[in-house]
C-alpha cells in the first residue's frame, strides 16, 4: 500500500492511502467516441457551476459503535472562518486506546467487515479529547468533504509479522451524517465528442455520460472541456484521487466519475 503525507497540525498526524479510483455502476454501457487525429485544443469554461459556500460551524457528526453495541467514539466535524476543518473525537470513558487510530472512508464498508487495512482511507491518529485533527478545507474533495461516508476506529496488532492477516481490526464504526447539501448539485456533464487530448470512451446511461475511461496522452483540461466542465469540477467529481486536492496527471485506463451523486 502506498502512503502519501498530508499537511498536519502539531497535535495530529494525518495520512492518506490509495486503493483505487471511482467505480462505474454495473450494467453501464461504454459508448466509444470517435478519435480525432489532431489535438483540438479544447478549453474548459472558467466556471461550469458556481460552487455554494461550505457553511461555518458543525457540518458533520458520527457515532462509532462496536460489535457489542457499545459506543466507542463520537466524532464532530466543524468548519471555521479561516478555511480550516476541525475533526474532534470524544472516546468513551475506559476505552483502551493503545494502537488505535481513527480513520475516515470515502466508501461505506461491507456490513460484515472486521478489517480495514486496504483501500482509500484517511488517518486521523489516536483519538484524544481536546486535540482536534485539522485539514485545510480545499484539501478534502475540492472544498466539499461530504464524499466521506464512514468513520472507523481501528486497532493494529501488538506485533506484526508476515503471517499477520489484518493490520487494522475494526473496533467501532459509524456513518458520517453531513448537515449540508453537496456544493455543486447543478453540475451536469454532456459529451461534445473526442478531441486530441480527450480520446477515451464515455460510459453512457439513459443518454447521459456517467463516467469516462482515460486514453493515452489525455489532458485533464481537455477531458473536462469535452464534458462542458472545468478541471476543478472534474477533480470535485473524483475526490478519492490521490494526493489530496487532486492531481492533474491522468493515467490510461483510469475511470473518472462524471455524476455528482456518485462522487
Amino acid at each position: 500500500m502506498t502512503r502519501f503525507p498530508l499537511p498536519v497540525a502539531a497535535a495530529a498526524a494525518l495520512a492518506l492511502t490509495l486503493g483505487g479510483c471511482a467505480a462505474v455502476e454495473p450494467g453501464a454501457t461504454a459508448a466509444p467516441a470517435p478519435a480525432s487525429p489532431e489535438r483540438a485544443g479544447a478549453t474548459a469554461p472558467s466556471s461550469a457551476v458556481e460552487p455554494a459556500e461550505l457553511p461555518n460551524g458543525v457540518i458533520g457528526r458520527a457515532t462509532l459503535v462496536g460489535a457489542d453495541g457499545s459506543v466507542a467514539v463520537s466524532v464532530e466535524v466543524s468548519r471555521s472562518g479561516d478555511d480550516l476543518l476541525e475533526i474532534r473525537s470524544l472516546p468513551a470513558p475506559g476505552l483502551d486506546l493503545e494502537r488505535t487510530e481513527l480513520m475516515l472512508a470515502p466508501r461505506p464498508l461491507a456490513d460484515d467487515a472486521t478489517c480495514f487495512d486496504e483501500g482509500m482511507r484517511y488517518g486521523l491518529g489516536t483519538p484524544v479529547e481536546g486535540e482536534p485533527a485539522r485539514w485545510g478545507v480545499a484539501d478534502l474533495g475540492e472544498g466539499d468533504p461530504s464524499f466521506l461516508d464512514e468513520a472507523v476506529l481501528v486497532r493494529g496488532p501488538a506485533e506484526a509479522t508476515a503471517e499477520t492477516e489484518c493490520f487494522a481490526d475494526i473496533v467501532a464504526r459509524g456513518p458520517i451524517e453531513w448537515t449540508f447539501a453537496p456544493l455543486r448539485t447543478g453540475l451536469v456533464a454532456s459529451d461534445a465528442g473526442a478531441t486530441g487530448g480527450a480520446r477515451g470512451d464515455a460510459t453512457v446511461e439513459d443518454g447521459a455520460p456517467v463516467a469516462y475511461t482515460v486514453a493515452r496522452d489525455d489532458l485533464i483540461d481537455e477531458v473536462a472541456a469535452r464534458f462542458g466542465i472545468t478541471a476543478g469540477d472534474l477533480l470535485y467529481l473524483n475526490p478519492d484521487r490521490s494526493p489530496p486536492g487532486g492531481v492533474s496527471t491522468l493515467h490510461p485506463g483510469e475511470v473518472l466519475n462524471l455524476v455528482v451523486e456518485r462522487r
Side-chain angles (χ1 to χ4, degrees):
M1 295 178 288
T2 306
R3 296 189 67 82
F4 300 88
L6 279 172
V8 298
L14 310 180
L16 170 66
T17 302
L18 177 65
C21 297
V24 181
E25 298 255 333
T29 56
S36 169
E38 300 178 356
R39 287 190 182 277
T43 303
S46 58
S47 178
V49 170
E50 189 65 31
E53 175 105 12
L54 188 68
N56 285 321
V58 177
I59 59 174
R61 292 186 174 88
T63 300
L64 282 62
V65 179
D68 62 355
S70 62
V71 174
V73 174
S74 297
V75 176
E76 184 176 270
V77 185
S78 61
R79 187 245 178 147
S80 60
D82 53 4
D83 280 339
L84 281 177
L85 287 180
E86 288 195 345
I87 305 173
R88 295 180 178 272
S89 52
L90 180 62
L95 177 66
D96 178 11
L97 295 177
E98 185 179 4
R99 305 187 311 279
T100 63
E101 186 171 7
L102 182 61
M103 313 201 82
L104 306 179
R107 298 288 181 269
L109 279 62
D111 291 341
D112 59 351
T114 59
C115 182
F116 186 36
D117 64 357
E118 62 181 19
M120 176 73 78
R121 59 202 189 281
Y122 295 77
L124 299 176
T126 299
V128 179
E129 183 178 359
E131 295 185 10
R134 292 185 174 90
W135 255 308
V137 168
D139 291 334
L140 286 178
E142 292 292 296
D144 184 344
S146 63
F147 73 98
L148 295 166
D149 285 326
E150 191 165 1
V152 187
L153 186 68
V154 299
R155 177 174 292 119
E159 231 178 282
T161 68
E163 287 73 38
T164 301
E165 294 185 1
C166 181
F167 294 91
D169 290 305
I170 296 174
V171 177
R173 53 186 289 195
I176 303 173
E177 302 293 339
W178 298 102
T179 60
F180 66 98
L183 303 184
R184 305 191 198 195
T185 52
L187 185 60
V188 178
S190 60
D191 191 355
T195 68
R199 299 170 181 261
D201 295 339
T203 300
V204 177
E205 293 179 6
D206 297 325
V210 297
Y212 174 78
T213 302
V214 175
R216 184 179 297 277
D217 297 327
D218 273 1
L219 302 174
I220 193 167
D221 286 335
E222 289 201 38
V223 171
R226 170 174 167 172
F227 294 101
I229 60 178
T230 68
D233 291 333
L234 194 57
L235 294 174
Y236 172 85
L237 292 170
N238 296 273
D240 50 1
R241 302 182 81 236
S242 180
V247 60
S248 59
T249 302
L250 300 177
H251 305 285
E254 177 181 3
V255 178
L256 300 174
N257 168 54
L258 297 174
V259 182
V260 171
E261 291 77 16
R262 300 181 187 178
R263 74 186 289 267

